[in-house]
C-alpha cells in the first residue's frame, strides 16, 4: 500500500523567509497530492493540491512541485507570516478497487518567528 | 469552498456511555465520507469509510462494534462511540470528497472527545 513520508517534523523560520516541506510517496499509481494546514484544535484545511499531470502549481505565496520520477512533492511558502504558523500535512491518494483513500504524512509543525 | 460541518466540537462523557458525532456536507452531496482519529501531535489515522446506503468499510484494527457508523443520507454521516472508555478520548475528524474525481477532500472542524 501507499506510504507517505514527510520532512522535517518541525521547522522554524524568520518572518519573511521561505519555508519548504518535502514528502515522498511509494505508490507510483498515486495521482493526486493535497496539502493541508491544521491549526490547533481545528480540522485540516486544504490549501493547495496538485495532480500528476502537472509539475508545479502556484497560488499567491504557496506553491507545490511534483517530481513523479522521484516520487516526491514539496510545499513552498514564500514571504512567511506569523499566521502561517500551524501544522502542515501532505497526503497522497491511493485507490483500492472502486474506492480510494488519502494517506497522510506525519506532519510538519511550522513556526514563523516575528 | 465546500463546507463540511461537524458537531459537537467538544464533548465530555462518562465511562460506559455512548457519544454520537455528526458530520454534514452543507452545500454538496457526499456518497462517501471518511472518519479519522488524531492523537496529540500525530497525523490523521483513517478509521473507516462511510458509504451512503450501505455498510461502512473499517480499517484494520478498528472495532466495528465500538465505532458505529451510519450514513443514512447524502449529506449526513454519524459516528457513535459506544461504551466509551478513557482510552477513546481523542480528536475525531470527518471529511467528505468533492469534485468530479471525488478526490478533493474537505474536513469538518473536528470533535474533541474526553471520556472521564
Amino acid at each position: 500500500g501507499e506510504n507517505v513520508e514527510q520532512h522535517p517534523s518541525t521547522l522554524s523560520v524568520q518572518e519573511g523567509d521561505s519555508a519548504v516541506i518535502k514528502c515522498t510517496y511509494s505508490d507510483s499509481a498515486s495521482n493526486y497530492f493535497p496539502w493541508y494546514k491544521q491549526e490547533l484544535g481545528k480540522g485540516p484545511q486544504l490549501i493547495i493540491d496538485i495532480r500528476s499531470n502537472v509539475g508545479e502549481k502556484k497560488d499567491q505565496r504557496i506553491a507545490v512541485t511534483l517530481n513523479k520520477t522521484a516520487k516526491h512533492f514539496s510545499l513552498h511558502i514564500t514571504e512567511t507570516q506569523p499566521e502561517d504558523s500551524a501544522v502542515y500535512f501532505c497526503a497522497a491518494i491511493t485507490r483500492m478497487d472502486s474506492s480510494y483513500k488519502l494517506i497522510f504524512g506525519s506532519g510538519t509543525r511550522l513556526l514563523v518567528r516575528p | 469552498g465546500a463546507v463540511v460541518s461537524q458537531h459537537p466540537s467538544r464533548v465530555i462523557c462518562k465511562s460506559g456511555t455512548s457519544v454520537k458525532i455528526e458530520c454534514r456536507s452543507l452545500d454538496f452531496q457526499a456518497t462517501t465520507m471518511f472518519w479519522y482519529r488524531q492523537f496529540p501531535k500525530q497525523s490523521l489515522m483513517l478509521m473507516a469509510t462511510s458509504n451512503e446506503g450501505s455498510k461502512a468499510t473499517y480499517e484494520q484494527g478498528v472495532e466495528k462494534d465500538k465505532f458505529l457508523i451510519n450514513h443514512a443520507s447524502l449529506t449526513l454521516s454519524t459516528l457513535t462511540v459506544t461504551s466509551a472508555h478513557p482510552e477513546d478520548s481523542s480528536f475525531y475528524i470527518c471529511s467528505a470528497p468533492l469534485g468530479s474525481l471525488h478526490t478533493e477532500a474537505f474536513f469538518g472542524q473536528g470533535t474533541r472527545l474526553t471520556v472521564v
Side-chain angles (χ1 to χ4, degrees):
Chain A
E2 176 72 282
N3 182 48
V4 178
E5 294 189 357
Q6 183 172 347
H7 299 281
S9 57
T10 60
L11 179 59
S12 180
V13 300
Q14 193 69 39
E15 181 178 1
D17 288 349
S18 296
V20 180
I21 303 171
K22 299 181 179 181
C23 289
T24 61
Y25 61 98
S26 60
D27 186 357
S28 58
S30 293
N31 59 6
Y32 176 69
F33 308 92
W35 285 89
Y36 292 89
K37 176 183 180 182
Q38 186 177 30
E39 297 178 339
L40 189 63
K42 297 183 179 180
Q45 177 188 10
L46 178 68
I47 56 172
I48 196 168
D49 56 13
I50 190 168
R51 298 188 184 278
S52 58
N53 57 346
V54 298
E56 184 174 359
K57 183 177 179 180
K58 189 174 182 180
D59 182 4
Q60 298 182 336
R61 297 186 297 109
I62 296 174
V64 57
T65 59
L66 172 65
N67 184 325
K68 288 176 58 179
T69 303
K71 288 190 282 189
H72 66 68
F73 55 113
S74 301
L75 177 71
H76 303 254
I77 306 174
T78 59
E79 301 173 29
T80 54
Q81 301 168 3
E83 49 266 39
D84 294 330
S85 297
V87 179
Y88 292 81
F89 291 98
C90 63
I93 199 167
T94 185
R95 295 190 182 274
M96 297 181 63
D97 299 325
S98 59
S99 65
Y100 77 93
K101 57 185 178 182
L102 285 174
I103 304 300
F104 285 86
S106 53
T108 296
R109 187 170 300 275
L110 174 65
L111 173 64
V112 180
R113 306 186 305 274
Chain B
V3 178
V4 174
S5 178
Q6 189 172 339
H7 179 80
S9 57
R10 292 176 177 270
V11 58
I12 300 173
C13 70
K14 293 183 178 180
S15 289
T17 62
S18 296
V19 174
K20 179 184 287 187
I21 302 170
E22 294 186 348
C23 181
R24 295 180 184 273
S25 55
L26 297 184
D27 50 1
F28 65 101
Q29 294 181 333
T31 56
T32 302
M33 291 186 179
F34 302 91
W35 287 96
Y36 296 84
R37 182 173 181 176
Q38 187 177 33
F39 291 104
K41 297 185 179 181
Q42 293 191 24
S43 188
L44 286 75
M45 181 189 75
L46 180 64
M47 298 175 63
T49 302
S50 173
N51 304 298
E52 188 270 335
S54 64
K55 292 182 179 180
T57 304
Y58 290 82
E59 295 299 302
Q60 190 173 10
V62 178
E63 300 177 60
K64 301 179 181 181
D65 295 333
K66 176 72 171 177
F67 300 100
L68 300 180
I69 291 174
N70 183 277
H71 196 152
S73 77
L74 289 172
T75 59
L76 174 64
S77 175
T78 61
L79 168 68
T80 301
V81 182
T82 63
S83 186
H85 292 285
E87 56 265 32
D88 298 325
S89 298
S90 191
F91 194 55
Y92 293 88
I93 313 171
C94 69
S95 78
L98 177 71
S100 59
L101 298 179
H102 296 279
T103 51
E104 294 100 320
F106 292 88
F107 286 80
Q109 308 95 312
T111 297
R112 171 72 59 192
L113 170 64
T114 303
V115 184
V116 298

